[in-house]
């Protein structure tokens, strides 16, 4: 047993742990902050503020429901889609925050295996001084925040016409206290984030949709050479000629409003993907302009009662050259003959003969005349045989590109811009989703009714 | 070394594969958010197995490039021979086509006939082409939007064409959706939020074909064989009920008469027949102008006249038939143009004569041409007499040699005098044929008189139509 008289000389229990932020913590924290100031680099941070508020996204597809609430304000606590638990239309703070951070540089392979097309192996870990982060940013960095690392800016992209250097964006995937950031007091001083490269995707549209031009605020006292781009407020202007000093920005002789390319346009691959896609479509369209088969260049022998009618009264024994002047040359083929087949009806007459397009038959027709009736669906080609209009074929060949020119059965349901007139809602769209069909909708005035008559 | 050929057959299917999935849109941003201009964007489609070089160029040779989503990429995962679809590898399909004439100056086709070809196509080789389509999306909502639009295309399949060439019998195929892999992500989500990939696997039965042969079209202008009977007789074959052609209708309509006038046939009612000279005379037949009986009115009762194919058969006294194909006279429906089959007409047994003459009323340089060696005439009257010391001067030859001939004799001028080369009085038991070069009418000697051979009038029952 210890003699109580020695108590006064007993040292306090040794413990560096502090449950509260004492002066030790403050000292260490200031020291660490200074270390980050001295040794770290500026990191630009695009702050995630929450999903789009007041949007009307779902009405485009008619699937508005309670799981996709319309929020009054942008709030980081909101979730856009309560079923799929996604925040697709994210709002980022237009202001960019700057903080010092530290990360380990690394070598990254340009991996093009199937899932490497999007460079998923480029993952970096970065630490920030915690209290600086809270002071500057107002909250901890979190998943969805986007950081921009200035020392990785690429000043030499392949396309030298790109107007400015390409910044390197990362998205924070995970965040927590850094294990190396705990001081002797066991209190954390660092915030560690795990980042992967940002993609040009819907979630970051408010970032990538910004103009990709150097900030150049208009100064009326400056001289601007031709082609200069300046911004005045949120509007960009381009100099049409050399602009003398003291020229007002509203002077259209010198300045014209300019719509700059966006970050997505320049730094994203979508525009190039479109070019590639369009080139493929152009060639595909050239090789198969219409569905089915092209028999328009074939020559079909006109016949009468099953015998060649063109020309008449010439036998194989004769040495006459058929030159179009012989009898029977005006007889037209009654059909596609040997060139008929699956999906060959193109609404054109055999042998390239003229066709009249109409919604009714012409009066007093001449035998052999062709008429394409446009009021038939599909359009139907007829030939007058002297007594009656005989069907030749239906115009069933169609453009195969997805869109209104595609006249397939499915496309007729999808690419349907027609409207139906009603007594109370004006013209409503003919195309409606089965789940919503004929139901009165509160937004009929905007989307469902009072539309201009369709075709 | 084998000649190089490459028709980009698989490549063309890839082009059309791209087309099928192009043009789809998704909602990309809020319409009314005041920030984003576009609410819908098109989803690009491209080949997924890009080379590193091409992909580097697409991404500006910069890690700072931002890969864009949504995106659809595709790549071939299999090309396997399909034994089950194999057909006769040695089969050659032939197709005959005629093209419209092409004007290279205007680069357009005209309405008249141009080249004609026979195309020979060797049996193509069956393969199963498997293609994966990756749908890259950054959130589930995008994926649902895309899949709902894409998947309605396949119920259960979708046709795909590599070309619209009518001759290409391998261009049409069909795409089957074999399998869908919902996501490349782990579920639930791990420590990262990678781009999601849904994979649709499609299979297509395709054919790979060697080049075709293009040959100039061979046209059968005249059928020589296969229409004769066992004895090689076409006309008998036509009437032979055992043969295909024996199904024809044989008609003698309404007891009408037919008159062969040169190469024309006129149809007559019996009462008009008296206006024609008898066949037992040498007088040529002539048109009966009073008759308005038209051939179409006769023939249409039984069927259609097929010009150059339909026949009229003229029955001779010896029951043989003179056969000829007929066509309607384009200028006068009262007549048929009669193209006689010379194999059915009697062969001349005598050299042709220049004319039928009356020696009592005409002679050389007196209504006839000057006498020339080889000239031959058929006489209708007697001339000269052995008892006559002064022969007919018109027919006197060299050295005052006279001509003594009787009616129906044929005389010929040779060695500067006229002589009898066919003496009728001595030919009472023979049958002879000779053609008059002036009228082209053939005559037959029946032992006591010359008659028209087959030209002339044919009363009802002595001719028939074969349509």
């Amino acid at each position: 047993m210890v003699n109580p008289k020695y108590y006064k000389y007993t040292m306090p229990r040794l413990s560096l742990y502090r449950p509260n932020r004492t002066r030790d913590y403050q000292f260490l924290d200031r020291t660490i902050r200074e270390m980050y100031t001295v040794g770290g680099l500026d990191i630009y941070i695009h702050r995630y503020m929450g999903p789009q508020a007041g949007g009307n996204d779902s009405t485009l597809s008619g699937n508005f429901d309670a799981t996709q609430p319309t929020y009054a304000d942008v709030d980081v606590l909101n979730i856009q889609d309560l079923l799929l638990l996604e925040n697709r239309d994210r709002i980022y703070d237009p202001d960019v925050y700057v903080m010092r951070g530290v990360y380990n540089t690394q070598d990254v392979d340009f991996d093009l295996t199937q899932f490497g097309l999007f460079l998923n192996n480029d993952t970096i870990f970065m630490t920030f001084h915690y209290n600086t982060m809270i002071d500057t940013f107002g909250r901890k960095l979190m998943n969805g925040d986007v950081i921009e690392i200035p020392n990785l800016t690429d000043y030499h992209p392949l396309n030298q016409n790109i107007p400015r250097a390409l910044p390197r964006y990362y998205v924070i995937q995970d965040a927590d206290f850094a294990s190396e950031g705990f001081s002797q007091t066991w209190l954390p001083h660092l915030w560690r984030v795990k980042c992967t490269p940002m993609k040009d995707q819907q979630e970051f549209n408010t970032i990538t949709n910004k103009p990709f031009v150097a900030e150049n605020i208009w100064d009326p006292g400056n001289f601007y050479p031709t082609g200069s781009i300046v911004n005045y407020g949120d509007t960009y202007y381009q100099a049409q000629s050399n602009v003398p000093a003291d020229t007002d920005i509203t002077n259209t002789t010198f300045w014209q409003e300019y719509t700059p390319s966006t970050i997505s346009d320049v730094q994203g691959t979508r525009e190039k993907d479109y070019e590639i896609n369009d080139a493929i479509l152009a060639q595909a369209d050239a090789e198969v302009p219409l569905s089915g088969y092209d028999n328009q260049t074939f020559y079909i022998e006109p016949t009468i009662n099953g015998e060649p009618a063109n020309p008449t009264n010439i036998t194989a024994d004769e040495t006459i050259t058929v030159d179009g002047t012989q009898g029977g040359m005006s007889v037209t083929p009654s059909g596609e003959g040997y060139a008929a087949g699956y999906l060959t009806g193109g609404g054109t007459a055999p042998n390239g003969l003229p066709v009249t397009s109409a919604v009714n038959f012409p009066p007093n027709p001449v035998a052999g005349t062709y008429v394409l009736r446009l009021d038939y669906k599909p359009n139907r080609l007829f030939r007058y045989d002297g007594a009656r209009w005989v069907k030749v074929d239906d115009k069933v060949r169609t453009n195969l590109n997805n869109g209104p020119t595609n006249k397939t059965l499915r496309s007729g349901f999808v690419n349907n811009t027609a409207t139906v007139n009603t007594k109370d809602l004006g013209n409503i769209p003919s195309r409606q989703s089965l789940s919503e069909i004929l139901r009165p909708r509160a937004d009929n005035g905007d989307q469902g009714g009072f539309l201009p008559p369709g075709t | 070394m084998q000649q190089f050929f490459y028709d980009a057959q698989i490549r063309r299917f890839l082009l059309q594969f791209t087309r099928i999935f192009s043009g789809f849109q998704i909602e990309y941003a809020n319409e009314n958010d005041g920030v984003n201009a576009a609410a819908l964007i098109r989803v690009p489609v491209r080949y997924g197995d890009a080379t590193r070089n091409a992909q580097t160029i697409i991404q500006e040779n910069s890690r700072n490039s931002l890969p864009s989503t949504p995106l659809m990429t595709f790549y071939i995962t299999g090309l396997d021979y399909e034994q089950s679809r194999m057909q006769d590898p040695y089969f050659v399909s032939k197709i005959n086509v005629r093209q419209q004439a092409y004007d290279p100056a205007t680069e357009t086709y005209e309405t008249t006939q141009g080249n004609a070809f026979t195309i020979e196509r060797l049996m193509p080789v069956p393969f199963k082409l498997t293609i994966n389509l990756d749908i890259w999306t950054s959130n589930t909502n995008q994926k649902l939007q895309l899949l709902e639009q894409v998947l309605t295309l396949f119920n259960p399949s979708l046709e795909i064409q590599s070309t619209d060439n009518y001759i290409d019998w391998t261009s049409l195929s069909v795409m089957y959706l074999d399998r869908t892999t919902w996501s490349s992500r782990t579920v639930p989500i791990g420590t990262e939020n990678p781009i999601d990939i849904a994979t649709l696997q499609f299979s297509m039965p395709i054919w790979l074909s060697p080049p075709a042969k293009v040959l100039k079209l061979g046209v059968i202008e005249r059928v020589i064989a296969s229409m004769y009977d066992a004895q090689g007789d076409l006309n008998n074959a036509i009437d032979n009920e055992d043969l295909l052609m024996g199904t024809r209708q044989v008609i003698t309509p309404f007891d009408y008469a037919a008159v062969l006038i040169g190469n024309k046939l006129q149809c007559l009612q019996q009462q008009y027949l008296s206006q024609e000279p008898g066949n037992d005379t040498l007088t040529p037949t002539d048109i009966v102008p009073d008759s308005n009986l038209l051939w179409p009115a006769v023939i249409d009762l039984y069927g259609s006249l097929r010009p150059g194919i339909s026949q009229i058969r003229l029955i001779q006294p010896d029951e043989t038939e003179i056969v000829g194909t007929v066509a309607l006279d384009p200028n006068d429906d009262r007549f048929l143009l009669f193209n006689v089959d010379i194999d059915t007409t009697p062969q001349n047994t005598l050299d042709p004569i220049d004319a039928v003459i009356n020696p009592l009323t005409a002679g050389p340089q007196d209504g006839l041409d000057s006498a020339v060696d080889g000239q031959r005439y058929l006489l209708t009257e007697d001339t000269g007499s052995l008892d006559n010391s002064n022969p007919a001067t018109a027919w006197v030859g060299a050295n005052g040699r006279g001509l003594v001939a009787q009616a129906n004799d044929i005389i010929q001028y040779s060695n500067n005098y006229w002589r009898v080369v066919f003496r009728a009085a001595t030919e009472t038991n023979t049958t002879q044929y000779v053609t008059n070069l002036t009228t082209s009418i053939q005559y037959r000697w029946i032992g006591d008189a010359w008659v028209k051979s087959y030209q002339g009038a044919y009363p009802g029952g002595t001719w028939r139509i074969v349509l």
Side-chain angles (χ1 to χ4, degrees):
Chain A
M1 174 177 252
V2 178
N3 190 335
K5 71 179 181 182
Y6 298 109
Y7 281 0
K8 64 183 290 190
Y9 304 105
T10 303
M11 291 182 64
R13 187 174 55 184
L14 284 176
S15 173
L16 295 175
Y17 167 69
R18 292 293 182 274
N20 301 313
R21 295 182 174 182
T22 62
R23 290 186 182 275
D24 290 341
Y25 171 84
Q26 300 295 344
F27 168 73
L28 291 168
D29 195 61
R30 284 196 298 273
T31 304
I32 294 169
R33 181 200 300 258
E34 189 61 18
M35 290 173 65
Y36 268 76
T37 303
V38 172
L41 80 162
D42 283 344
I43 302 294
Y44 305 140
I45 301 174
H46 300 264
R47 183 171 184 255
Y48 171 63
M49 299 178 69
Q52 170 69 43
N56 205 16
D57 172 63
S58 55
T59 57
L60 282 176
S61 55
N63 58 357
F64 175 79
D65 59 35
T67 63
Q68 300 182 73
T70 301
Y71 297 107
D73 300 307
V74 175
D75 192 328
V76 74
L77 299 178
N78 293 340
I79 296 177
Q80 180 180 3
D81 190 328
L82 298 173
L83 175 65
L84 301 177
L85 296 175
E86 293 176 337
N87 284 325
R88 298 182 292 270
D89 300 309
R90 301 178 184 178
I91 299 298
Y92 285 85
D93 196 331
D95 299 327
V96 178
Y97 298 82
V98 182
M99 282 195 298
R100 289 292 170 102
V102 171
Y103 73 100
N104 288 325
T105 57
Q106 60 181 345
D107 297 320
V108 180
D109 289 335
F110 186 40
D111 185 1
L112 277 185
T113 55
Q114 183 186 2
F115 304 113
L117 190 61
F118 284 82
L119 294 173
N120 283 329
N121 59 351
D122 182 10
T123 301
I124 65 168
F125 297 91
M126 185 173 288
T127 56
F128 295 91
H129 183 245
Y130 186 88
N131 285 328
T132 304
M133 174 180 68
I134 298 299
D135 293 344
T136 307
F137 203 61
R139 63 166 170 79
K140 294 178 292 186
L141 293 169
M142 61 176 283
N143 177 287
D145 288 331
V146 172
I147 67 172
E148 189 179 330
I149 302 178
N151 70 323
L152 295 178
T153 299
D154 189 345
Y155 292 91
H156 304 98
L158 196 58
N159 183 356
Q160 297 181 0
N161 294 322
I162 292 177
R164 68 176 173 89
L166 302 179
R168 174 82 66 96
Y169 293 102
Y170 284 89
V171 181
I172 294 176
Q173 298 290 349
D174 193 15
D176 199 357
F177 295 112
S179 61
E180 68 269 32
F182 290 88
S183 66
Q184 293 83 343
T185 66
W186 286 92
L187 290 174
H189 297 268
L190 300 179
W191 188 247
R192 174 184 180 269
V193 295
K194 177 184 179 182
C195 305
T196 56
M198 187 184 84
K199 286 85 177 178
D200 177 20
Q201 62 191 71
Q202 180 181 359
E203 285 76 2
F204 309 119
N205 192 39
T206 52
I207 297 174
T208 57
N209 203 37
K210 289 179 179 174
F212 191 86
V213 290
E215 192 79 2
N216 187 9
I217 299 173
W218 174 65
D219 183 344
N222 283 353
F223 164 82
Y224 291 98
T226 304
S228 300
I229 297 171
V230 299
N231 60 304
Y232 179 63
D234 291 333
T235 307
Y236 286 80
Y237 297 88
Q238 187 171 38
Q240 302 302 299
S241 58
N242 290 336
V243 182
D246 298 325
T247 302
D248 195 86
I249 195 70
T250 59
N251 187 334
T252 55
T253 305
F254 295 97
W255 293 109
Q256 191 167 23
E257 280 198 29
Y258 174 74
T259 303
S261 299
T262 64
I263 293 174
S264 174
D265 294 340
V266 178
Q267 205 165 342
T269 58
R270 182 172 296 117
E271 292 302 316
K272 297 184 187 68
D273 290 337
Y274 281 156
E275 290 176 18
I276 293 167
N277 194 181
D278 290 344
I280 296 172
L281 286 179
Q283 182 59 29
D285 200 49
E287 294 190 354
V288 186
L290 297 172
S291 63
Y293 294 96
D294 178 12
N295 61 2
Q296 293 183 38
T297 61
F298 293 123
Y299 181 80
I300 310 300
E301 182 73 36
T303 57
I304 297 176
N305 298 326
E307 298 296 331
N310 187 5
T312 57
N313 301 323
I314 294 180
T315 67
D317 292 330
E318 297 179 67
T319 57
I320 296 172
T321 299
V322 177
D323 58 6
T325 62
Q326 288 79 10
M329 294 301 287
S330 61
V331 177
T332 62
S334 58
E336 296 176 330
Y338 67 91
Y342 177 63
L343 286 181
T344 53
T348 55
N351 300 347
L353 294 167
V355 177
T356 303
S357 299
V359 294
N360 48 31
F361 292 119
N364 306 317
V366 177
T369 303
Y370 295 97
V371 167
L372 181 66
R373 285 289 295 266
L374 301 178
D375 50 332
Y376 281 67
K377 301 296 180 186
N379 299 163
R380 179 165 291 180
L381 182 69
F382 289 92
R383 176 182 177 273
Y384 189 66
D385 71 352
R388 61 194 178 104
W389 289 96
V390 181
K391 173 192 169 186
V392 177
D393 62 34
D394 286 334
K395 185 181 179 183
V396 292
R397 299 190 67 200
T398 177
N399 184 285
L400 289 174
N401 293 324
N402 289 316
T405 57
N406 186 321
K407 300 299 182 186
T408 59
L409 179 64
R410 175 186 173 279
S411 181
F413 281 82
V414 175
N415 300 298
N416 175 15
T417 58
T419 55
V420 178
N421 187 262
T422 65
K423 294 180 179 178
D424 51 355
L425 294 173
N427 295 310
I428 63 171
S430 169
R431 191 189 81 155
Q432 297 192 25
S433 300
L434 276 178
S435 62
E436 298 291 322
I437 203 159
L438 297 183
R439 286 182 181 169
R441 292 164 56 185
D443 57 358
N444 271 347
D446 294 325
Q447 294 293 327
F450 302 111
L451 299 174
T455 56
Chain B
M1 184 177 294
Q2 176 170 272
Q3 287 189 350
F4 173 77
F5 86 92
Y6 173 61
D7 190 29
Q9 296 176 62
I10 297 175
R11 182 187 177 95
R12 283 189 278 108
F13 275 111
L14 295 182
L15 286 175
Q16 301 304 325
F17 185 92
T18 308
R19 189 185 200 181
I20 287 173
F21 297 102
S22 296
F24 289 105
Q25 301 181 91
I26 61 154
E27 297 172 353
Y28 195 70
N30 286 334
E31 189 179 34
N32 303 320
D33 61 6
V35 176
N36 303 304
L40 298 173
I41 64 163
R42 177 163 67 99
V43 180
V45 186
R46 65 181 176 91
Y47 194 61
D49 188 19
T51 62
R52 294 179 63 81
N53 179 261
Q55 189 63 36
T56 298
I57 293 168
I58 290 171
Q59 297 192 202
E60 297 291 350
N61 191 26
S62 173
R63 300 293 165 81
N64 296 5
S65 171
L66 303 176
S68 298
T69 60
L71 172 68
M72 285 194 268
T73 61
F74 62 93
Y75 50 94
I76 295 173
T77 60
L79 182 64
D80 305 305
Y81 181 78
E82 278 205 301
Q83 181 85 27
S84 60
R85 287 167 46 221
M86 187 193 81
Q87 298 178 57
D88 178 8
Y90 304 104
F91 175 74
V92 175
S93 158
K94 292 185 180 180
I95 180 172
N96 301 317
V97 297
R98 296 169 187 269
Q99 287 192 301
Q100 296 168 33
Y102 183 73
D103 184 352
T106 60
E107 296 184 343
T108 56
Y109 285 92
E110 299 176 344
T111 59
T112 55
Q113 181 176 329
N115 293 317
F117 299 104
T118 296
I119 313 293
E120 291 186 359
R121 304 172 295 190
L122 182 61
M123 174 62 72
V125 186
F127 281 90
K128 177 185 178 184
L129 179 65
T130 308
I131 299 179
N132 275 10
L133 176 75
D134 286 344
I135 299 177
W136 306 68
T137 54
S138 62
N139 56 63
T140 307
N141 197 47
Q142 285 182 359
K143 179 158 62 172
L144 296 180
Q145 292 175 27
L146 270 178
L147 288 179
E148 185 170 312
Q149 296 178 81
V150 169
L151 294 181
T152 55
L153 284 171
F154 302 95
N155 187 21
S157 57
L158 183 71
E159 286 185 353
I160 182 171
Q161 261 186 279
S162 62
T163 169
D164 69 344
N165 193 315
Y166 181 77
I167 308 294
D168 188 350
W169 61 350
T170 67
S171 67
L172 186 64
S173 183
V174 64
M175 285 173 52
Y176 295 99
L177 175 58
D178 292 338
R179 187 166 58 242
T180 300
T181 303
W182 178 253
S183 177
S184 59
R185 290 175 170 175
T186 58
V187 178
I189 195 75
T191 58
E192 293 182 3
N193 193 31
I195 296 297
D196 180 88
I197 303 169
T199 301
L200 309 183
Q201 179 178 302
F202 297 95
S203 63
M204 285 182 273
I206 66 169
W207 303 86
L208 297 181
S209 180
K213 276 185 186 174
V214 177
L215 309 170
K216 191 172 178 63
L217 177 64
V219 178
I220 298 173
E221 295 183 344
R222 193 180 306 171
V223 176
I224 297 173
S226 302
M227 290 181 64
Y228 292 80
D229 66 2
Q231 285 71 44
D233 191 311
L234 169 63
N235 294 309
N236 285 340
I238 289 174
D239 263 358
N240 190 336
E241 289 294 336
D242 295 334
L243 299 177
L244 176 65
M245 300 294 279
T247 57
R248 286 183 165 183
Q249 305 168 66
V250 182
I251 299 153
T252 301
F254 295 110
D255 206 26
Y256 288 151
V259 181
L260 182 59
I261 311 157
N263 68 336
K264 291 184 178 182
L265 271 170
Q266 185 176 16
C267 188
L268 294 175
Q269 293 169 314
Q270 285 291 343
Q271 64 265 29
Y272 290 104
L273 195 57
S274 59
Q275 299 184 27
E276 288 289 349
N279 288 349
D280 55 352
T281 70
L282 299 184
T283 307
T285 50
D286 201 0
I287 296 170
V288 179
D290 297 340
S291 173
N292 290 319
L293 185 59
L294 305 180
W295 278 108
V298 177
I299 293 172
D300 288 350
L301 295 171
Y302 305 98
S304 298
L305 186 73
R306 292 184 287 173
I309 297 176
S310 297
Q311 295 178 341
I312 282 188
R313 293 169 165 250
L314 306 173
I315 303 171
Q316 302 303 303
D318 59 359
E319 297 186 350
T320 61
E321 290 184 331
I322 305 298
V323 181
T325 57
V326 291
L328 197 63
D329 187 338
N331 299 317
D332 194 336
D333 283 350
R334 292 181 299 166
F335 304 106
L336 292 178
L337 301 177
F338 185 75
N339 183 25
V340 67
D341 179 357
I342 57 172
D343 291 340
T344 63
T345 59
Q347 297 296 310
N348 284 333
T349 56
L350 301 175
D351 291 338
I353 58 174
D354 294 294
V356 178
I357 64 167
N358 182 347
L360 302 181
T361 59
Q365 294 184 314
D366 185 13
L368 298 175
D369 293 338
S370 299
V372 177
D373 268 5
Q375 268 181 346
R376 291 162 65 89
Y377 295 113
L378 172 61
L379 307 183
T380 59
E381 297 291 342
D382 297 346
T383 182
S385 171
L386 293 175
D387 302 330
N388 192 350
S389 56
N390 294 315
T393 55
W395 300 101
V396 174
N399 302 321
R401 188 167 181 171
L403 172 66
V404 178
Q406 295 177 318
N408 296 325
D409 285 352
I410 295 176
I411 60 173
Q412 180 173 330
Y413 187 75
S414 59
N415 297 326
N416 297 322
Y417 66 91
W418 292 95
R419 62 188 181 92
V420 177
V421 292
F422 174 81
R423 193 168 299 281
T426 61
E427 299 284 345
T428 55
N429 296 321
T430 63
T431 301
Q432 305 288 351
Y433 293 92
V434 69
T435 296
N436 182 349
L437 295 177
T438 300
T439 61
S440 297
I441 295 176
Q442 188 185 51
Y443 302 118
R444 182 171 69 242
W445 173 251
I446 57 175
D448 58 353
W450 288 100
V451 298
K452 288 190 283 288
S453 172
Y454 63 91
Q455 298 266 0
Y458 291 85
T462 60
W463 65 282
R464 53 185 180 148
I465 302 172
V466 183
L467 295 177

